[in-house]
Amino acid sequence: MALNAATRAAISLSKVQGVWLLLIAAVGLSTGLICTLLQDPIVARLAWTIATLPILGALLRQVFRSLRRGDFGLDIVAALSMAFALAFGEPLAANVVALMYAGGQMLEGYASRRAAREMTALMGRVAQTAFRYDKGGLQEVPITEIKAGDRLMVRQGEVIPVDGIVVTNQALLDESALTGEAIPRKHGVNDEVLSGSTSLAGVFDMRAIRPASESTYAAVIRLVKAAQESKAPMARLADRYGLMFLVVTVSLALAAWFVSSDPRRALAVLVIATPCPLILAVPVAIMSGISRCAAVGCLVKDGGVLEALSRVRVAVLDKTGTLTHGMATIVAIKCAEWIGEDELLRLAASLDQASGHVMAAALISAARERGLNLALPADVSEFPGEGIEGTVDQRHVVVGGSRFVERRVLKGSPRAFLSGRSAGEAVVAVAVDSVAAGLIVMADPVRPEAIGVLRRLRDAGIARIILASGDRLEVARGVGEALGIEEVLGEQSPASKVDCVNSARHFGPVMMVGDGINDAPALAAADVGVALGARGAAASSEAAGVVLLVDRLDPLAIALTAASRTIVIARQSVIVGLGLSMAGMVAAACGFLLPVQGALLQEVIDVAVILNALRALRPVGSESKSGHGVPILP
């Protein structure tokens, strides 16, 4: 969590001892007040003193550990105020400070844990063991022993331990921890399933495709840990200001004592500075903002990235897999009268089972979605980059580019079926028994949410949007025109995308959004790199500062708005809280506030600061409008 060392220690203290220390302080204060009413001031002062000592002792141990680490936190002020109150015969003030300090630390600990709820809940879903088929039987083994190729059994209610492929039965999975979708998803045989998902019905077998350390959920957990252990630049700035505030506080207290010769004025100055909004507002707000982003499927790696995200003014977007789905789909099937669309697709997909081409995978997937029964091909010959031919159900089938197929037909021409072609479309020609049978028109469609997301990015402060694609310029321009992006760059290599990011920085901080290995250098070069999908290329997820855990762009627009609002809330809390504290300290130095009154006033300020910082947890307006504010955790 983005908390300084002293604050982390205080939160740890509040978990273990906080309740008892708070009870001791409260019982002591109550006992003393009752004795005062019974006109027994000696017992009252003794009760207040005894109730203060345990809190002061625990706090001094904290301060000593912090000083050994070189952390001069404002907990020193709290220790000084309690110690001086006891030394100068103000046990009631000391007890009030102890009570308020113990209560404040518990409140801060609760706020921080509340802010981190979406982040830490991910950690509890890691599977520890799995059932692996071994020598004809099942054996429960640690997930660290699972290797690619191992066959596993997953029972109902179990979390999938590693990424894999379904090999038997149908899997019904709750993938909300990864995708944010509350509706369970069905997976058939040969479908890929991701670690971290939960099986909701029946038993199925799967084959591991990568070890646990390289699986999707392991990558997410690494990112979560990095986010929790990070420290934002704004939080580090708060540490420096905290030291300055400590010096100002002690100096003002000594000056008030020197001018008035009244040690109670110095004590009042110290107690009103205990603790300080500076060390409460920033970490709670930053962690709240990161948690808000995580709740909609956008994992921000650390507080520094969140701050950088709030300053972004230029967005460089990859096309394939980012603005489009990254997988070709069938737009149209144009076939001869003697063969139907389904039969043309079935023959082409059956032959393409012997090919590793990305277009072949798209044809096979489309055929299976239509429920077509694919046959095993025979006598297959593949010509890389051109096409493939072979025998399917005793028929000679040729699939590939128009020129490749045209050279192998005796009757007709694939070009006869081509009546027009839009930018970004590709055609797969098919011939059966040396006769041109038709064309399958395919395209990588623009994501349906892309136009709305780009509009919301502009609303969130993005002044310039650049489309940088590795595809041909005319294809990239077609997508740019469809989305209203004026600046389009095509045929971009990884090095060219880095140059694009560096050039765009002239207009302000740059955000690069991509999903492939070729995008990793540009993601690392940008002020903020955003990788689309934790199941995408590992290199892009590692290079990026932000990872979208859902296969949509919507969370990015929400995260931009949440980041900007979080920084505004943090600064607002610091400015207002410090202003009120300084005003109270001046009033105390001038004799207008007694030590007890100062302690009560400061606690009111601290509570207000924490509650204001927690506003960063609330859904932003665009979430409720878009309907994508569904938490990613069950």
Side-chain angles (χ1 to χ4, degrees):
M1 234 179 284
L3 304 173
N4 63 23
T7 308
R8 282 196 298 267
I11 292 176
S12 178
L13 172 67
S14 69
K15 288 181 180 179
V16 180
Q17 301 173 331
V19 174
W20 287 107
L21 293 178
L22 184 64
L23 285 175
I24 290 171
V27 170
L29 181 63
S30 302
T31 302
L33 292 175
I34 292 173
C35 291
T36 300
L37 293 175
L38 297 176
Q39 297 185 356
D40 193 345
I42 296 177
V43 176
R45 295 169 66 86
L46 182 62
W48 292 329
T49 300
I50 293 174
T52 302
L53 290 176
I55 292 89
L56 178 58
L59 183 55
L60 287 174
R61 287 195 298 272
Q62 258 176 230
V63 170
F64 178 71
R65 296 191 191 103
S66 299
L67 290 176
R68 291 183 63 181
R69 291 189 297 265
D71 185 358
F72 295 87
L74 290 175
D75 290 330
I76 296 175
V77 178
L80 288 175
S81 62
M82 282 186 247
F84 282 11
L86 293 177
F88 294 139
E90 292 281 353
L92 175 58
N95 196 168
V96 171
V97 172
L99 177 66
M100 297 306 175
Y101 184 80
Q105 294 304 312
M106 287 192 63
L107 177 60
E108 183 187 357
Y110 164 77
S112 298
R113 291 190 297 273
R114 168 68 177 86
R117 184 177 61 186
E118 283 84 5
M119 304 289 284
T120 55
L122 282 167
M123 311 293 283
R125 293 178 55 87
V126 182
Q128 302 299 323
T129 61
F131 286 94
R132 182 177 65 185
Y133 288 94
D134 191 12
K135 296 179 180 179
L138 277 173
Q139 183 178 3
E140 187 173 7
V141 298
I143 63 170
T144 54
E145 295 183 8
I146 297 176
K147 304 179 183 65
D150 286 352
R151 182 163 176 157
L152 310 174
M153 184 184 73
V154 180
R155 300 175 299 183
Q156 182 175 348
E158 290 184 341
V159 175
I160 295 178
V162 297
D163 297 347
I165 300 293
V166 178
V167 294
T168 63
N169 300 331
Q170 191 178 65
L172 180 64
L173 303 181
D174 173 9
E175 299 178 344
S176 58
L178 291 171
T179 67
E181 292 293 337
I183 300 175
R185 184 179 176 186
K186 289 183 179 180
H187 293 272
V189 175
N190 294 324
D191 284 352
E192 182 178 349
V193 292
L194 301 180
S195 56
S197 306
T198 302
S199 176
L200 297 180
V203 177
F204 68 93
D205 289 353
M206 59 173 280
R207 184 179 70 255
I209 58 176
R210 57 182 66 94
S213 60
E214 299 175 11
S215 290
T216 297
Y217 206 68
V220 173
I221 294 301
R222 286 195 296 270
L223 298 179
V224 170
K225 288 182 177 179
Q228 290 182 321
E229 294 170 0
S230 69
K231 193 172 194 180
M234 192 172 183
R236 291 192 292 267
L237 186 64
D239 290 343
R240 293 196 294 271
Y241 284 163
L243 181 59
M244 185 186 305
F245 189 80
L246 174 61
V247 174
V248 170
T249 299
V250 175
S251 299
L252 184 59
L254 293 175
W257 187 0
F258 178 78
V259 173
S260 66
S261 299
D262 185 357
R264 290 189 305 172
R265 292 195 183 186
L267 178 60
V269 171
L270 291 175
V271 298
I272 205 170
T274 308
C276 171
L278 194 61
I279 62 173
L280 299 179
V282 174
V284 171
I286 292 292
M287 201 61 214
S288 296
I290 292 177
S291 182
R292 182 69 252 149
C293 294
V296 296
C298 183
L299 184 56
V300 180
K301 288 187 178 180
D302 58 52
V305 173
L306 187 77
E307 291 184 44
L309 197 62
S310 71
R311 298 192 298 267
V312 165
R313 293 297 174 266
V314 183
V316 178
L317 308 176
D318 177 46
K319 180 187 75 68
T320 306
T322 301
L323 294 176
T324 65
H325 286 285
M327 177 177 289
T329 58
I330 295 177
V331 176
I333 298 179
K334 302 176 182 181
C335 57
E337 295 180 356
W338 52 270
I339 188 171
E341 291 186 5
D342 284 353
E343 180 63 10
L344 182 74
L345 176 60
R346 187 187 74 84
L347 292 174
S350 295
L351 179 61
D352 268 340
Q353 291 178 106
S355 173
H357 194 277
V358 63
M359 205 71 80
L363 287 179
I364 295 169
S365 177
R368 285 175 174 163
E369 287 179 1
R370 295 193 181 197
L372 304 179
N373 294 319
L374 303 185
L376 291 176
D379 303 323
V380 177
S381 297
E382 185 169 11
F383 302 84
E386 294 187 85
I388 187 172
E389 62 179 323
T391 302
V392 177
D393 289 341
Q394 299 182 348
R395 307 185 72 175
H396 183 256
V397 180
V398 182
V399 178
S402 297
R403 293 180 181 177
F404 173 79
V405 174
E406 195 168 32
R407 293 195 301 267
R408 286 163 171 75
V409 298
L410 299 177
K411 182 179 180 181
S413 171
R415 299 177 187 272
F417 300 97
L418 190 61
S419 58
R421 184 173 165 185
S422 302
E425 289 184 347
V427 295
V428 176
V430 182
V432 179
D433 294 332
S434 300
V435 179
L439 293 176
I440 301 174
V441 184
M442 309 191 75
D444 184 8
V446 172
R447 291 178 179 271
E449 78 274 14
I451 294 178
V453 169
L454 294 182
R455 182 178 64 251
R456 288 160 61 191
L457 289 181
R458 293 186 175 97
D459 292 341
I462 302 297
R464 193 178 191 89
I465 297 178
I466 302 171
L467 173 58
S469 173
D471 285 342
R472 301 188 313 273
L473 182 58
E474 60 267 24
V475 175
R477 280 178 175 168
V479 174
E481 290 175 2
L483 296 175
I485 301 175
E486 297 180 357
E487 190 168 353
V488 178
L489 304 175
E491 301 176 11
Q492 295 287 294
S493 66
S496 299
K497 290 185 179 182
V498 172
D499 293 338
C500 174
V501 168
N502 292 332
S503 299
R505 194 171 280 114
H506 174 73
F507 302 99
V510 179
M511 173 179 68
M512 170 68 193
V513 186
D515 74 321
I517 294 176
N518 62 324
D519 295 320
L523 292 171
D527 296 280
V528 178
V530 180
L532 187 66
R535 63 181 296 179
S540 62
S541 295
E542 292 295 330
V546 176
V547 177
L548 299 182
L549 301 180
V550 293
D551 192 27
R552 297 182 61 88
L553 293 172
D554 307 72
L556 180 57
I558 296 173
L560 277 171
T561 303
S564 299
R565 188 183 65 170
T566 295
I567 301 306
V568 169
I569 289 174
R571 289 174 178 162
Q572 178 189 81
S573 297
V574 168
I575 293 172
V576 173
L578 278 182
L580 292 174
S581 293
M582 291 298 297
M585 289 163 60
V586 171
C590 294
F592 296 117
L593 286 175
L594 296 176
V596 173
Q597 296 171 331
L600 295 173
L601 175 62
Q602 184 57 53
E603 187 61 21
V604 172
I605 295 173
D606 292 338
V607 171
V609 162
I610 292 176
L611 293 178
N612 185 63
L614 282 174
R615 288 195 300 120
L617 278 172
R618 297 178 184 174
V620 298
S622 57
E623 288 182 63
S624 56
K625 293 177 183 178
S626 67
H628 293 290
V630 181
I632 67 167
L633 300 172

